Amino acid sequence: MSGAPLGLLGFAAVLVLAALRVPVAVAMGIVGTVGSVALLDWHSAAYLMSSLPFQAVFPYSLSVVPLFIFMGVFATHSGLSRSLYNGVHALLGHRRGGIAMATVGACAVFGAICGSSLATCATIGKVALPEMRRRGYSPRFAGATVAAGGTLGVMIPPSIILVLYALLTEQSIGALFAAALVPGLIATLLYLAAIVVQVRLRPELGPADRRLPWRERARAFAGTWDALLLIGVVIGGIYSGIFSPTEAAAVGAGGALLITAAKGRLSREALLAGLAETAQLTGMVFLILIGAALFNLFIEATQLPSTLVTWVGESGLSVAAVIALIIVFYVVLGCFMDSLSMILLTVTPAFAIITQLGLDPVWFGVLLVTVAEIGLITPPIGMNLFVIQALSSDLRLTELSIGVVPFILADIIRVILLAAVPALSLWLPSVLGI
Amino acid sequence: MPSPEAQPARRTGALERVLRAIERTTRILALIGTGSLVIAVGLVAGDIVWRRLLGGAIVGVIDLTQLCVMAAAFWSIPYAFTARAHVTVDLLSQRFGQRARLWLDALGGVLSIALMAAVLYLSSQRALEQWRYGDVSQDLGIPMIWYWAFLLSGTALAGVAAAAAFLRDALEYRRTQRTV
């Protein structure tokens, strides 16, 4: 066996090993190493592989990854989530389903600091879930709202997955961040609409809270100044061209550390806990990058990407049909794999097809992350659902899975919108000239 | 002289101490690695301020940032094994019993050690080559072997940490079996 069938066998081997609880990064690395040695002669394979782990970490552009992780971790430790939640709650809490709306709003803003869905879900969940349940919200509705809202962490820039997509496909990180902003806002609006529809149909899901006087609302909102400043400096700096993404990440990481210190939360224990958490995420991401580099060497040696491109060209499928197939493929795969591993495992062949069809890689990156994000709330491997379950142990996974259905419908509408109207993603980068 | 019954307990105690030492080493190195990111943050921020206010630049910021990131990345990988932070899919394994899950963990452990050993062997060839040629970084002339040193030490320790993580699971399994 050689060529494309061997490549497909390689994908199957990774999935089988992952299903057997082998770390996904190790599965990719082992299959990539064994496959490359099998396809190429030992000396060529060894020579090519000898620099891959180094090159998977060394480039300066990759510095952005641990720095954004650092920023997200310390933003979480600083307690910014509490002030953000209080601020949005003061504005929306008096409406029916208002605390759920405030939760989605807080997730969207926190996502602009954090860059990770799981962290957004866990951080906002810790604040919002007890609050919603105390105010008589349905536990299922409350849990589903946080799980769905958490997905905004990966969509709203800065996003670690968007950074990795940009680096692997040699696209501009700034352009991808700009392209993801409008889809991120659309996601927020659609989630808010999903909440409004649900509480209109079943008012008992989310009763209205008392209306706060304007002075209290203003005070609560003013308490979010540090979070808004951090977002403004990081995202504004990238969009305006003042900072490169790496510089923005460094400034953001330093800012998050300073805010944590200013709030009196930077004890020795907190600092060590933050560094240890940064290390866990950094080690996890970089091992996946190394595994993906080895696996992609093997996939390129099988010529699977070019075979797929030829097959798509000869199949007579329309561009829309190919995009629909890719979306369905990722939605199904996202039910079983985490989004980061899934994207790094498959981006090489998918990217080859997209560029061959003449589609915009920046638009595809945003679409890919949107689709991957759906996998975070779809069972059986919906990571955000697990986070919510850990936060409220009396809530069963099946109940949560039913609760997120309206939000998944909102996601499907968004995917259709983004796929049909690329300008939703590409407008802002073109206006900013990135 | 200890009784024959006491010998397995003593062996377990020795293994426990070794595992704890490995786990502590991975944590300390990870903290040093990610702690070095604070240096990178300071350098980059200083460079921005210097550039904006005085129109100059700190020479070697890129070289030093890369060094910090190499430390952060490669010294964090072993700790991620210790903390079980590497991504796994638990869909099938949840249906298995504890004993079967231990076998799966053994498979994961063996493959992790194999991958780390392969990366260590292959990378050491290239690292030695760069050392022999005396390759240095672009701005500050830092010997490239320093960058490789983080990769080699991190990869070696990651293999040890993967083995330790499996042995820790095996110990826990034995302990629960005894309790039952």
Side-chain angles (χ1 to χ4, degrees):
Chain A
M1 192 189 285
S2 65
L6 196 60
L8 291 174
L9 190 68
F11 273 106
V14 171
L15 294 178
V16 168
L17 287 175
L20 293 175
R21 223 155 88 118
V22 173
V24 178
V26 174
M28 284 196 275
I30 284 286
V31 172
T33 306
V34 173
S36 299
V37 171
L39 264 182
L40 310 164
D41 66 286
W42 164 249
H43 288 291
S44 314
Y47 184 76
L48 289 170
M49 285 189 291
S50 65
S51 62
L52 284 179
F54 188 86
Q55 286 305 327
V57 180
F58 182 70
Y60 180 64
S61 50
L62 273 166
S63 311
V64 76
V65 175
L67 290 173
F68 270 136
I69 291 174
F70 187 106
M71 170 179 151
V73 167
F74 280 94
T76 308
H77 281 262
S78 68
L80 284 178
S81 55
R82 165 62 73 180
S83 52
L84 272 175
Y85 179 77
N86 287 344
V88 191
H89 180 198
L91 293 180
L92 296 170
H94 61 282
R95 296 174 185 279
R96 200 185 291 155
I99 309 180
M101 291 186 213
T103 301
V104 167
C107 283
V109 184
F110 194 70
I113 308 171
C114 180
S116 151
S117 281
L118 295 182
T120 304
C121 187
T123 310
I124 300 292
K126 271 181 211 159
V127 184
L129 276 176
E131 185 73 10
M132 280 196 271
R133 295 184 71 162
R134 198 161 57 84
R135 306 279 178 184
Y137 273 54
S138 140
R140 187 168 88 183
F141 177 60
T145 301
V146 180
T151 65
L152 297 172
V154 81
M155 195 67 218
I156 296 192
S159 153
I160 304 288
I161 295 187
L162 275 178
V163 168
L164 292 176
Y165 173 85
L167 295 173
L168 285 172
T169 58
E170 295 175 352
Q171 301 302 308
S172 151
I173 295 174
L176 273 153
F177 279 3
L181 188 64
V182 173
L185 294 176
I186 292 173
T188 309
L189 291 175
L190 284 171
Y191 283 166
L192 292 179
I195 291 168
V196 169
V197 171
Q198 286 183 83
V199 291
R200 185 154 292 183
L201 293 174
R202 293 180 59 198
E204 74 279 7
L205 287 179
D209 200 7
R210 73 182 175 91
R211 182 189 287 267
L212 292 175
W214 276 106
R215 186 173 290 180
E216 270 188 59
R217 287 195 214 181
R219 193 183 303 145
F221 194 72
T224 63
W225 71 271
D226 40 11
L228 297 180
L229 180 68
L230 190 61
I231 296 165
V233 169
V234 172
I235 301 298
I238 296 175
Y239 288 172
S240 61
I242 295 174
F243 300 140
S244 70
T246 306
E247 289 171 344
V251 169
L257 200 62
L258 285 178
I259 289 172
T260 314
K263 284 177 175 262
R265 288 171 174 254
L266 198 62
S267 61
R268 185 173 173 273
E269 288 73 29
L271 178 66
L272 293 180
L275 290 178
E277 202 177 323
T278 304
Q280 285 183 27
L281 291 169
T282 303
M284 180 268 282
V285 169
F286 277 104
L287 190 63
I288 291 182
L289 274 175
I290 292 168
L294 293 168
F295 184 72
N296 284 330
L297 172 71
F298 161 63
I299 287 300
E300 276 161 24
T302 64
Q303 296 183 325
L304 180 66
S306 53
T307 309
L308 276 177
V309 167
T310 312
W311 177 80
V312 168
E314 288 170 354
S315 66
L317 286 170
S318 65
V319 174
V322 175
I323 294 167
L325 278 176
I326 290 176
I327 289 172
V328 170
F329 169 76
Y330 276 111
V331 169
V332 173
L333 194 60
C335 293
F336 302 98
M337 274 186 107
D338 82 291
S339 40
L340 179 65
S341 318
M342 176 176 87
I343 290 177
L344 295 188
L345 179 68
T346 57
V347 75
T348 305
F351 187 74
I353 294 172
I354 289 301
T355 44
Q356 179 65 26
L357 290 173
L359 297 167
D360 192 297
V362 170
W363 163 80
F364 178 66
V366 175
L367 186 67
L368 186 59
V369 170
T370 307
V371 176
E373 190 194 335
I374 298 176
L376 291 166
I377 51 170
T378 48
I381 307 285
M383 299 299 278
N384 281 14
L385 301 182
F386 295 150
V387 172
I388 298 301
Q389 214 192 5
L391 290 175
S392 42
S393 46
D394 58 329
L395 202 55
R396 285 171 47 223
L397 199 62
T398 33
E399 266 189 278
L400 258 178
S401 305
I402 296 167
V404 293
V405 169
F407 296 102
I408 293 176
L409 290 177
D411 279 338
I412 293 170
I413 293 171
R414 178 158 49 107
V415 168
I416 294 169
L417 274 174
L418 294 183
V421 190
L424 290 172
S425 310
L426 300 176
W427 169 76
L428 191 57
S430 69
V431 167
L432 296 172
I434 304 176
Chain B
M1 189 157 172
S3 66
E5 294 82 26
Q7 280 181 354
R10 182 177 275 193
R11 270 204 299 271
T12 310
L15 180 61
E16 180 71 40
R17 277 196 295 278
V18 172
L19 292 182
R20 245 186 259 148
I22 294 169
E23 287 159 0
R24 205 177 307 130
T25 309
T26 61
R27 185 176 157 86
I28 290 169
L29 280 188
L31 291 176
I32 296 171
T34 47
S36 74
L37 289 176
V38 178
I39 300 171
V41 165
L43 282 169
V44 174
D47 185 52
I48 294 168
V49 172
W50 193 283
R51 211 172 53 225
R52 296 275 155 195
L53 296 182
L54 303 166
I58 300 175
V59 179
V61 168
I62 293 180
D63 288 358
L64 292 172
T65 303
Q66 282 174 306
L67 198 63
C68 294
V69 170
M70 290 297 278
F74 282 106
W75 282 2
S76 291
I77 290 173
Y79 182 59
F81 275 110
T82 302
R84 314 294 197 278
H86 289 301
V87 178
T88 52
V89 177
D90 287 333
L91 182 62
L92 272 182
S93 60
Q94 280 173 342
R95 294 161 200 270
F96 298 155
Q98 214 183 348
R99 198 181 167 82
R101 274 211 297 273
L102 191 68
W103 279 107
L104 293 182
D105 286 344
L107 173 70
V110 168
L111 290 181
S112 300
I113 296 164
L115 179 66
M116 290 303 126
V119 169
L120 182 63
Y121 171 72
L122 293 168
S123 302
S124 61
Q125 308 295 313
R126 186 59 72 95
L128 282 173
E129 195 181 290
Q130 293 215 331
W131 191 28
R132 266 188 236 115
Y133 291 146
D135 288 354
V136 293
S137 69
Q138 216 164 2
D139 295 328
L140 293 179
I142 300 170
M144 287 306 289
I145 193 68
W146 288 22
Y147 295 84
W148 283 95
F150 289 118
L151 186 156
L152 299 176
S153 56
T155 311
L157 187 59
V160 175
F166 167 69
L167 287 173
R168 167 71 64 203
D169 290 342
L171 269 185
E172 288 299 321
Y173 174 74
R174 221 168 81 167
R175 209 165 283 153
T176 51
Q177 289 301 303
R178 273 203 199 130
T179 317
V180 172

